[in-house]
């Protein structure tokens, strides 16, 4: 189905991204996956080329471009190269970390943090999840206790994307355990603060180049000037920023499905069985037809969500609908595409095999499918 969300400016940008990915990402991604680490230099090059951090205002070194369609173009081009670990890291910076920093930092913090992000020299992470609490944020146990001009931070986080690489981590901690909905605050914890330690790089089944870490905080003195926004507003800040995170997951899902499906159609056209291409078999054509239809329908919803986000009208319920449905579809699409590759689909050298493994987390992070249904259901029951 024709998509009509882009202008000629977006298409010109697409050429830049495509060229960048072909030069700086595609030739290295297999090595990054093997080494389980993405070269930091690529973020400097990517920021310079405008592949991410576009929304940082010009006065801090960015382009001041908040049109989400540029994010869509970048994600599509990275997905075309099947560079999923890199794509997820870019999404983490743009859809989570910078989204919070741009909205919640004061002028002094903007001066301090944004130029480094705009140059691609500073990488951020967002640490909510703990060993004992993921879906249920009220179960967090990390505390930040006021002491003079500082907050003293104690606790542990887990599953933190880019936790090893990050120079700045937005940490959700309890600043007043008895304050009801004002129990949490967000603190900016910096790389070299004494008492801040990183655990092991976690051994995941997918996204091998993207580091995921445990973080430990023992009496870390975080200056009050590193509080993000207002003390006690952590929970509402997390809630109000989740729609973009979830749109980011839907976008990752959409772009990965499009790329792997296109590759699978080519494979089925080229692969012969019983004296003819696989596509000569009606069963194969029906499988492809079903996926093509579902992908088109999902794309329509995601495109509408992108326009709604640009207009400031994407609700948390609509973002949750997209997140669970599109990421569940992604699981189905990857599974069927793998099946259509036969034994080759099980070999990691084929993009579909790696995509299958990278996909599995999509229905878990950013809020599980069950949690998305809970958000939607609660809204219906209200
Ligand atoms: C690769 C990876 C990267 C991640 N990156 C980050 C990151 O950068 N920052 C961060 O803070 N976190 C991150 N996470 C954590 C992720 O967001 C959590 O794993 C997720 O929210 C689920 O929390 P949990 O693992 O504690 O599972 P639990 O909350 O223990 O859930 C276990 C099961 O119970 C179900 N369940 C829970 N509550 C309900 C309910 N109310 N109704 C019905 N079913 C329910 C869930 O759907 C799930 O199936 C990452 C996770 C992974 C795997």
């Amino acid at each position: 189905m024709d998509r009509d969300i882009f202008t000629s400016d977006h298409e010109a940008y697409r050429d830049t991204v495509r060229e960048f990915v072909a030069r700086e990402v595609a030739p290295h991604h297999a090595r990054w996956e093997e080494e389980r680490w993405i070269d930091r230099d690529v973020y400097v090059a990517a920021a310079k080329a405008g592949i991410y951090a576009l929304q940082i205002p010009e006065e801090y070194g960015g382009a001041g471009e908040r049109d989400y369609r540029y994010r869509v173009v970048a994600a599509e081009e990275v997905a075309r190269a099947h560079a999923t670990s890199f794509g997820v890291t870019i999404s983490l910076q743009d859809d989570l970390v910078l989204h919070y920093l741009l909205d919640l930092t004061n002028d002094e913090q903007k001066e301090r943090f944004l130029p480094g992000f705009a140059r691609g020299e500073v990488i951020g992470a967002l640490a909510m999840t703990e060993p004992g609490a993921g879906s249920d944020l009220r179960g967090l146990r990390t505390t930040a206790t006021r002491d003079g001009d500082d907050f003293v931070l104690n606790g542990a986080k887990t599953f933190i994307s880019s936790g090893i690489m990050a120079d700045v981590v937005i940490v959700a901690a309890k600043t007043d355990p008895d304050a009801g909905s004002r129990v949490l605050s967000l603190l900016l914890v910096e790389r070299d603060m004494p008492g801040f330690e990183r655990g092991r790089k976690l051994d995941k089944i997918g996204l091998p180049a993207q580091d995921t870490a445990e973080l430990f905080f023992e009496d870390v003195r975080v200056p009050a000037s590193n509080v993000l926004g207002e003390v006690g507003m952590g929970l509402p800040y997390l809630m109000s920023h989740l729609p973009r995170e979830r749109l980011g997951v839907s976008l990752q899902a959409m772009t990965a499905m499009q790329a792997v499906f296109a590759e699978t159609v080519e494979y089925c056209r080229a692969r012969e069985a019983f004296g003819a291409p696989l596509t000569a078999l009606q069963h194969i054509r029906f499988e492809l037809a079903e996926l093509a239809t579902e992908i088109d329908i999902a794309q329509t919803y995601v495109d509408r969500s992108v326009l709604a986000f640009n207009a400031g009208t994407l609700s948390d319920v609509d973002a949750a609908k997209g997140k669970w449905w599109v990421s569940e579809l992604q699981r189905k699409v990857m599974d069927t595409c793998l099946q259509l590759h036969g034994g080759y689909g099980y070999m990691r050298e084929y993009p579909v095999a790696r995509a299958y493994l990278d996909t599995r987390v999509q229905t878990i992070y950013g809020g599980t499918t069950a949690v998305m249904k809970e958000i939607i259901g609660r809204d219906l029951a209200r």
Side-chain angles (χ1 to χ4, degrees), residues 92 126-129 133-136 158-161 204 212 361 364-368 370-371 374:
L92 172 73
L126 175 68
M128 296 185 275
T129 307
S135 305
D136 179 13
T158 194
F159 304 148
I160 306 308
S161 301
K204 310 192 295 291
T212 307
V361 73
I364 298 170
Y365 61 15
T368 65
V371 169
E374 188 57 25

